[in-house]
Coordinates of all heavy atoms in Angstrom, one line a residue:
M98 N -240.9 -1.7 98.1 CA -239.7 -1.3 98.8 C -239.9 -1.6 100.3 O -238.9 -1.8 101.0 CB -239.5 0.2 98.5 CG -238.1 0.6 98.9 SD -237.7 2.2 98.5 CE -237.3 2.2 96.9
L99 N -241.1 -1.4 100.8 CA -241.4 -1.8 102.2 C -241.6 -3.3 102.4 O -242.3 -3.9 101.4 CB -242.6 -1.1 102.6 CG -242.5 0.4 102.7 CD1 -243.8 1.1 103.2 CD2 -241.4 0.9 103.6
D100 N -241.1 -3.8 103.4 CA -241.2 -5.2 103.7 C -242.6 -5.3 104.5 O -242.7 -5.1 105.7 CB -240.1 -5.8 104.5 CG -240.2 -7.3 104.8 OD1 -241.2 -7.9 104.5 OD2 -239.3 -7.7 105.3
H101 N -243.6 -5.9 103.9 CA -244.9 -6.0 104.5 C -244.9 -7.2 105.5 O -245.9 -7.1 106.3 CB -246.0 -6.2 103.5 CG -246.1 -5.0 102.6 ND1 -246.6 -3.9 102.9 CD2 -245.7 -4.9 101.2 CE1 -246.5 -3.0 101.9 NE2 -246.0 -3.6 100.9
E102 N -244.0 -8.0 105.5 CA -243.9 -9.1 106.5 C -243.0 -8.8 107.7 O -242.9 -9.5 108.7 CB -243.2 -10.3 105.8 CG -244.0 -10.8 104.5 CD -245.4 -11.2 104.8 OE1 -245.6 -12.0 105.9 OE2 -246.3 -10.9 104.0
S103 N -242.4 -7.7 107.6 CA -241.5 -7.2 108.7 C -242.2 -6.9 110.0 O -243.4 -6.3 109.9 CB -240.5 -6.1 108.2 OG -239.8 -5.6 109.3
S104 N -241.7 -7.0 111.0 CA -242.3 -6.6 112.4 C -241.9 -5.1 112.6 O -242.5 -4.5 113.4 CB -241.7 -7.4 113.5 OG -240.3 -7.2 113.7
N105 N -241.0 -4.6 111.8 CA -240.7 -3.1 111.9 C -241.8 -2.2 111.3 O -242.3 -2.6 110.1 CB -239.4 -2.7 111.2 CG -238.2 -3.0 112.0 OD1 -238.3 -3.0 113.2 ND2 -237.0 -3.1 111.2
P106 N -242.4 -1.3 112.0 CA -243.4 -0.4 111.3 C -242.8 0.3 110.1 O -241.6 0.4 109.9 CB -243.8 0.5 112.4 CG -242.8 0.5 113.4 CD -242.0 -0.9 113.2
Y107 N -243.8 0.6 109.2 CA -243.4 1.3 107.9 C -242.6 2.6 108.2 O -241.6 2.7 107.5 CB -244.7 1.6 107.0 CG -245.4 0.4 106.6 CD1 -246.8 0.5 106.3 CD2 -244.8 -0.8 106.4 CE1 -247.5 -0.6 105.8 CE2 -245.5 -1.9 105.9 CZ -246.9 -1.7 105.6 OH -247.6 -2.9 105.2
Y108 N -243.0 3.4 109.1 CA -242.2 4.6 109.3 C -240.8 4.3 109.7 O -239.8 5.0 109.2 CB -242.9 5.6 110.4 CG -242.6 5.2 111.9 CD1 -241.4 5.5 112.6 CD2 -243.5 4.2 112.4 CE1 -241.2 5.2 113.8 CE2 -243.1 3.8 113.8 CZ -242.1 4.3 114.4 OH -241.8 3.9 115.8
R109 N -240.5 3.2 110.4 CA -239.0 2.8 110.8 C -238.4 2.4 109.6 O -237.2 2.7 109.4 CB -239.2 1.8 111.9 CG -237.9 1.2 112.3 CD -237.0 2.1 113.3 NE -237.8 2.8 114.3 CZ -238.1 2.3 115.6 NH1 -237.9 1.0 115.8 NH2 -238.8 3.1 116.4
Q110 N -239.0 1.5 108.7 CA -238.4 1.0 107.5 C -238.1 2.2 106.5 O -236.9 2.2 106.0 CB -239.4 0.1 106.8 CG -239.6 -1.2 107.4 CD -240.5 -2.0 106.7 OE1 -240.2 -2.4 105.5 NE2 -241.7 -2.6 107.3
I111 N -239.0 3.2 106.5 CA -238.7 4.4 105.7 C -237.5 5.1 106.2 O -236.5 5.6 105.5 CB -239.8 5.2 105.4 CG1 -241.0 4.6 104.7 CG2 -239.5 6.7 104.7 CD1 -242.4 5.1 104.7
A112 N -237.5 5.4 107.5 CA -236.4 6.1 108.2 C -235.0 5.3 108.0 O -234.0 6.0 107.7 CB -236.7 6.3 109.7
D113 N -235.0 4.0 108.2 CA -233.9 3.2 108.1 C -233.3 3.4 106.5 O -232.1 3.4 106.4 CB -234.1 1.7 108.5 CG -234.3 1.6 109.8 OD1 -234.0 2.4 110.7 OD2 -234.8 0.5 110.2
Y114 N -234.3 3.3 105.6 CA -233.8 3.6 104.1 C -233.1 4.7 104.0 O -232.1 4.8 103.4 CB -235.1 3.5 103.3 CG -234.9 3.7 101.9 CD1 -234.3 2.8 101.0 CD2 -235.1 5.0 101.4 CE1 -234.1 3.2 99.6 CE2 -235.0 5.4 100.0 CZ -234.4 4.4 99.3 OH -234.2 4.8 97.9
F115 N -233.7 5.8 104.4 CA -233.0 7.2 104.2 C -231.8 7.3 105.0 O -230.8 7.9 104.6 CB -234.0 8.3 104.5 CG -234.9 8.5 103.4 CD1 -236.2 8.2 103.4 CD2 -234.4 9.2 102.1 CE1 -237.1 8.4 102.3 CE2 -235.2 9.3 101.0 CZ -236.5 8.9 101.1
A116 N -231.8 6.8 106.2 CA -230.5 6.8 107.1 C -229.4 6.1 106.3 O -228.2 6.6 106.3 CB -230.7 6.2 108.3
A117 N -229.8 5.0 105.7 CA -228.7 4.2 104.9 C -228.3 5.0 103.7 O -227.0 4.9 103.3 CB -229.3 2.8 104.5
Q118 N -229.2 5.7 103.1 CA -228.9 6.4 101.9 C -227.9 7.6 102.2 O -227.0 7.9 101.5 CB -230.2 7.1 101.3 CG -231.1 6.1 100.6 CD -230.5 5.6 99.3 OE1 -230.5 6.3 98.4 NE2 -230.4 4.4 99.1
I119 N -228.0 8.1 103.4 CA -227.2 9.2 103.8 C -225.8 8.7 104.3 O -224.8 9.2 103.9 CB -227.9 10.1 105.0 CG1 -229.1 10.8 104.5 CG2 -227.0 10.9 105.7 CD1 -230.1 11.3 105.6
R120 N -225.9 7.6 105.0 CA -224.7 7.0 105.4 C -223.8 6.6 104.4 O -222.6 6.8 104.4 CB -225.0 5.8 106.4 CG -223.8 5.1 107.0 CD -224.1 3.9 107.8 NE -224.8 2.9 107.1 CZ -226.1 2.5 107.2 NH1 -226.8 3.0 108.2 NH2 -226.8 1.6 106.3
D121 N -224.5 6.0 103.3 CA -223.7 5.5 102.1 C -223.4 6.6 101.1 O -222.9 6.4 100.0 CB -224.5 4.4 101.4 CG -224.6 3.2 102.4 OD1 -224.0 3.0 103.3 OD2 -225.6 2.4 102.0
E122 N -223.7 7.8 101.5 CA -223.5 9.1 100.6 C -224.2 9.1 99.4 O -223.7 9.8 98.4 CB -222.0 9.3 100.5 CG -221.3 9.5 102.0 CD -219.8 9.9 101.8 OE1 -219.2 9.9 100.7 OE2 -219.2 10.1 102.9
V123 N -225.3 8.3 99.3 CA -226.2 8.5 98.1 C -226.9 9.7 98.1 O -226.9 10.4 97.2 CB -227.1 7.3 98.0 CG1 -228.1 7.4 96.9 CG2 -226.3 6.0 97.9
L124 N -227.3 10.2 99.4 CA -227.9 11.5 99.6 C -226.7 12.3 100.2 O -226.2 11.9 101.3 CB -229.1 11.4 100.5 CG -230.3 10.9 100.0 CD1 -231.4 10.8 101.0 CD2 -230.8 11.7 98.8
K125 N -226.4 13.3 99.6 CA -225.3 14.2 100.2 C -225.7 15.2 101.1 O -227.0 15.6 101.2 CB -224.6 15.1 99.0 CG -224.1 14.1 97.8 CD -222.9 13.4 98.3 CE -222.5 12.6 97.0 NZ -221.6 11.5 97.4
P126 N -224.8 15.6 102.1 CA -225.2 16.7 103.2 C -225.9 17.9 102.4 O -225.4 18.3 101.4 CB -224.0 16.9 103.8 CG -223.2 15.8 103.6 CD -223.5 15.2 102.2
G127 N -226.9 18.4 103.1 CA -227.5 19.6 102.5 C -228.6 19.4 101.4 O -229.3 20.3 101.2
R128 N -228.7 18.2 101.0 CA -229.8 17.8 100.0 C -231.2 17.7 100.8 O -231.2 17.3 101.9 CB -229.5 16.5 99.3 CG -228.2 16.5 98.4 CD -228.4 17.2 97.2 NE -229.7 16.9 96.4 CZ -229.7 16.1 95.3 NH1 -228.6 15.5 95.0 NH2 -230.8 16.0 94.8
K129 N -232.2 18.0 100.1 CA -233.5 18.0 100.6 C -234.1 16.5 100.5 O -233.8 15.8 99.5 CB -234.5 18.9 99.9 CG -234.2 20.4 100.1 CD -235.0 21.2 99.3 CE -236.4 21.4 99.7 NZ -237.2 22.4 98.9
L130 N -234.7 16.1 101.5 CA -235.4 14.8 101.4 C -236.7 15.0 100.6 O -237.2 16.2 100.6 CB -235.8 14.4 102.8 CG -234.7 13.7 103.7 CD1 -235.3 13.4 105.0 CD2 -233.9 12.7 103.1
P131 N -237.3 14.0 100.2 CA -238.6 14.2 99.5 C -239.6 14.7 100.4 O -239.6 14.5 101.8 CB -239.0 12.8 99.1 CG -237.8 12.0 99.0 CD -236.9 12.6 100.0
S132 N -240.7 15.5 100.0 CA -241.7 16.0 100.8 C -242.5 14.8 101.4 O -242.5 13.8 101.0 CB -242.5 17.0 100.1 OG -243.4 16.3 99.1
E133 N -243.3 15.1 102.5 CA -244.2 14.1 103.0 C -245.2 13.7 101.9 O -245.3 12.5 101.8 CB -245.1 14.8 104.1 CG -244.4 15.1 105.4 CD -245.2 15.8 106.4 OE1 -246.4 16.0 106.2 OE2 -244.6 16.1 107.5
S134 N -245.6 14.5 101.0 CA -246.5 14.0 99.9 C -245.8 13.1 99.0 O -246.3 12.1 98.5 CB -247.3 15.1 99.2 OG -246.5 15.9 98.6
E135 N -244.5 13.5 98.7 CA -243.7 12.6 97.9 C -243.4 11.2 98.5 O -243.5 10.2 97.8 CB -242.4 13.2 97.5 CG -242.6 14.5 96.5 CD -241.4 15.3 96.4 OE1 -240.6 15.5 97.4 OE2 -241.2 15.9 95.4
L136 N -243.2 11.2 99.8 CA -243.0 10.0 100.6 C -244.2 9.1 100.4 O -244.1 7.9 100.3 CB -242.5 10.3 102.0 CG -241.2 10.8 102.3 CD1 -241.0 11.0 103.6 CD2 -240.1 9.9 101.7
C137 N -245.4 9.8 100.6 CA -246.6 9.1 100.5 C -246.8 8.3 99.2 O -247.2 7.1 99.1 CB -247.8 10.0 100.8 SG -248.0 10.7 102.3
S138 N -246.4 9.0 98.2 CA -246.4 8.3 96.8 C -245.5 7.3 96.6 O -245.8 6.3 96.1 CB -246.4 9.5 95.7 OG -247.5 10.4 95.8
Q139 N -244.3 7.6 97.0 CA -243.1 6.7 96.8 C -243.3 5.5 97.5 O -243.1 4.3 96.9 CB -241.9 7.4 97.2 CG -240.6 6.5 96.9 CD -239.3 7.2 97.3 OE1 -239.3 8.4 97.6 NE2 -238.3 6.6 97.3
F140 N -243.8 5.5 98.6 CA -243.9 4.3 99.5 C -245.3 3.7 99.7 O -245.6 2.8 100.5 CB -243.3 4.6 100.9 CG -241.8 4.6 100.9 CD1 -241.3 6.0 100.9 CD2 -240.9 3.8 100.8 CE1 -239.8 6.3 100.8 CE2 -239.6 3.8 100.8 CZ -239.0 5.1 100.7
S141 N -246.3 4.4 99.2 CA -247.8 4.1 99.4 C -248.1 4.1 100.8 O -248.6 3.1 101.3 CB -248.0 2.8 98.6 OG -247.8 2.9 97.3
V142 N -247.9 5.1 101.5 CA -248.2 5.2 103.0 C -249.0 6.4 103.2 O -249.1 7.3 102.3 CB -246.9 5.1 103.8 CG1 -246.2 3.9 103.7 CG2 -246.0 6.4 103.6
S143 N -249.5 6.6 104.4 CA -250.4 7.7 104.8 C -249.3 8.8 105.1 O -248.2 8.7 105.5 CB -251.2 7.4 105.9 OG -250.4 7.3 107.1
R144 N -250.0 10.1 105.2 CA -249.2 11.2 105.5 C -248.6 11.2 106.9 O -247.5 11.6 107.3 CB -250.1 12.4 105.3 CG -249.1 13.7 105.3 CD -250.0 14.9 104.8 NE -249.2 16.0 104.6 CZ -248.8 16.4 103.4 NH1 -249.2 15.9 102.3 NH2 -248.0 17.5 103.4
V145 N -249.4 10.6 107.8 CA -249.1 10.3 109.2 C -247.8 9.6 109.3 O -246.8 9.8 110.0 CB -250.2 9.6 110.1 CG1 -249.7 9.3 111.4 CG2 -251.4 10.7 110.1
T146 N -247.7 8.4 108.4 CA -246.6 7.5 108.5 C -245.3 8.3 107.9 O -244.3 8.2 108.5 CB -247.0 6.3 107.7 OG1 -248.0 5.6 108.2 CG2 -245.7 5.3 107.5
A147 N -245.5 9.0 106.8 CA -244.4 9.8 106.2 C -243.9 10.8 107.3 O -242.6 10.8 107.3 CB -244.9 10.5 105.0
R148 N -244.8 11.4 107.9 CA -244.4 12.4 109.0 C -243.6 11.8 110.2 O -242.6 12.3 110.6 CB -245.6 13.2 109.6 CG -245.3 14.3 110.3 CD -246.5 15.2 110.7 NE -247.2 15.8 109.5 CZ -248.4 15.7 109.2 NH1 -249.2 15.1 109.9 NH2 -248.8 16.3 108.1
K149 N -244.0 10.5 110.5 CA -243.4 9.9 111.6 C -242.0 9.4 111.2 O -241.1 9.4 112.0 CB -244.2 8.6 112.0 CG -244.6 8.5 113.3 CD -245.5 7.3 113.6 CE -245.3 6.9 115.0 NZ -246.2 5.8 115.5
A150 N -241.8 9.1 109.9 CA -240.5 8.7 109.4 C -239.6 9.8 109.4 O -238.4 9.6 109.9 CB -240.6 8.1 108.0
I151 N -240.0 10.9 109.0 CA -239.2 12.2 109.1 C -238.8 12.5 110.6 O -237.6 12.8 110.8 CB -239.9 13.3 108.4 CG1 -240.0 13.2 106.9 CG2 -239.0 14.6 108.6 CD1 -240.8 14.1 106.2
R152 N -239.8 12.4 111.4 CA -239.6 12.7 112.8 C -238.5 11.7 113.5 O -237.7 12.1 114.2 CB -240.9 12.7 113.7 CG -240.8 13.2 115.0 CD -242.1 13.3 115.9 NE -243.2 13.8 115.0 CZ -244.4 13.2 114.7 NH1 -244.6 12.1 115.2 NH2 -245.3 13.8 114.1
E153 N -238.6 10.4 113.1 CA -237.7 9.4 113.5 C -236.2 9.8 113.1 O -235.3 9.7 113.8 CB -238.0 8.1 112.9 CG -237.1 7.0 113.3 CD -237.3 6.5 114.7 OE1 -238.3 6.9 115.3 OE2 -236.5 5.8 115.2
L154 N -236.1 10.4 111.8 CA -234.7 10.9 111.3 C -234.2 11.9 112.1 O -233.1 12.1 112.4 CB -234.9 11.1 109.8 CG -234.9 9.8 108.9 CD1 -235.3 10.3 107.5 CD2 -233.7 9.0 108.9
Q155 N -235.2 12.8 112.5 CA -234.8 14.0 113.3 C -234.3 13.6 114.8 O -233.4 14.0 115.1 CB -235.9 15.0 113.4 CG -236.3 15.8 112.1 CD -237.5 16.5 112.3 OE1 -238.6 16.0 112.3 NE2 -237.4 17.9 112.6
Q156 N -235.1 12.6 115.3 CA -234.7 12.2 116.6 C -233.3 11.5 116.7 O -232.7 11.5 117.6 CB -235.9 11.4 117.2 CG -237.1 12.1 117.5 CD -238.3 11.2 117.9 OE1 -238.2 10.0 117.7 NE2 -239.2 11.7 118.5
Q157 N -233.1 10.7 115.5 CA -231.8 10.1 115.4 C -230.6 11.1 115.0 O -229.5 10.7 114.9 CB -231.9 9.0 114.4 CG -232.7 7.8 114.7 CD -232.8 6.8 113.6 OE1 -232.2 6.9 112.7 NE2 -233.9 5.9 113.7
R158 N -231.1 12.3 114.8 CA -230.1 13.4 114.4 C -229.4 13.0 113.1 O -228.3 13.4 112.8 CB -229.2 13.6 115.5 CG -229.7 14.2 116.8 CD -228.7 14.5 117.8 NE -229.3 14.9 119.1 CZ -229.6 16.2 119.4 NH1 -229.2 17.1 118.7 NH2 -230.1 16.3 120.6
V159 N -230.2 12.4 112.2 CA -229.7 12.1 110.9 C -230.0 13.3 109.9 O -229.2 13.5 109.0 CB -230.3 10.8 110.3 CG1 -229.9 10.5 108.9 CG2 -229.9 9.6 111.3
V160 N -231.2 13.9 110.3 CA -231.5 15.1 109.3 C -232.1 16.2 110.4 O -232.3 15.9 111.5 CB -232.7 14.8 108.4 CG1 -232.2 13.7 107.4 CG2 -233.9 14.4 109.1
E161 N -232.2 17.4 109.8 CA -232.7 18.5 110.6 C -233.8 19.1 109.7 O -233.7 19.2 108.4 CB -231.7 19.5 111.0 CG -231.0 20.2 110.0 CD -229.9 21.2 110.5 OE1 -230.2 21.7 111.7 OE2 -229.0 21.4 109.9
R162 N -234.8 19.5 110.3 CA -235.9 20.2 109.5 C -235.8 21.7 109.7 O -235.6 22.2 110.7 CB -237.3 19.7 110.1 CG -238.5 20.4 109.3 CD -239.7 19.7 109.8 NE -240.3 19.0 108.8 CZ -241.4 18.2 108.8 NH1 -241.9 18.0 110.0 NH2 -241.9 17.5 107.9
L163 N -235.7 22.2 108.4 CA -235.5 23.7 108.3 C -236.8 24.2 107.7 O -237.3 23.8 106.7 CB -234.4 24.2 107.4 CG -233.0 23.6 107.9 CD1 -232.0 24.0 106.7 CD2 -232.7 24.1 109.1
R164 N -237.3 25.3 108.3 CA -238.6 25.9 107.7 C -238.2 27.1 106.9 O -237.3 27.9 107.4 CB -239.6 26.3 108.9 CG -240.0 25.2 109.7 CD -241.1 25.5 110.6 NE -241.3 24.3 111.5 CZ -242.2 23.4 111.4 NH1 -242.9 23.4 110.2 NH2 -242.4 22.5 112.3
M165 N -238.7 27.1 105.7 CA -238.3 28.1 104.9 C -239.4 29.2 104.7 O -240.6 29.0 104.9 CB -238.0 27.6 103.4 CG -236.9 26.6 103.4 SD -235.5 27.5 103.7 CE -234.2 26.7 102.8

């Protein structure tokens, strides 16, 4: 799913993927994103990369992180 030839870092590719899913309404408002560990498994990336992808989405105001 990640383009290993791209100049975009993996965290940006993951953030772009989820931003598109939200924009295209595949992911509905209020739905939870996969956890960091699920992102690690799904995209075969480190936890640091998964965390950075989520932070990127927060900075773009695409998602908000709620602590339960």
Side-chain angles (χ1 to χ4, degrees):
M98 195 178 278
L99 294 177
D100 182 358
H101 300 287
E102 302 297 319
S103 174
S104 62
N105 275 339
Y107 293 154
Y108 78 90
R109 176 82 34 89
Q110 291 182 52
I111 295 168
D113 289 347
Y114 169 79
F115 281 105
Q118 294 283 300
I119 292 166
R120 182 184 58 245
D121 296 342
E122 298 183 0
V123 174
L124 288 174
K125 303 292 182 196
R128 295 289 310 259
K129 290 171 76 171
L130 289 179
S132 67
E133 288 176 3
S134 60
E135 291 170 328
L136 290 176
C137 293
S138 295
Q139 182 178 352
F140 293 97
S141 298
V142 295
S143 71
R144 196 169 189 103
V145 171
T146 301
R148 189 173 293 132
K149 231 174 156 177
I151 293 170
R152 193 174 311 123
E153 178 74 13
L154 289 167
Q155 288 175 283
Q156 290 174 343
Q157 294 176 8
R158 299 184 185 263
V159 174
V160 299
E161 62 182 336
R162 184 173 241 172
L163 302 175
R164 300 195 189 264
M165 301 287 208

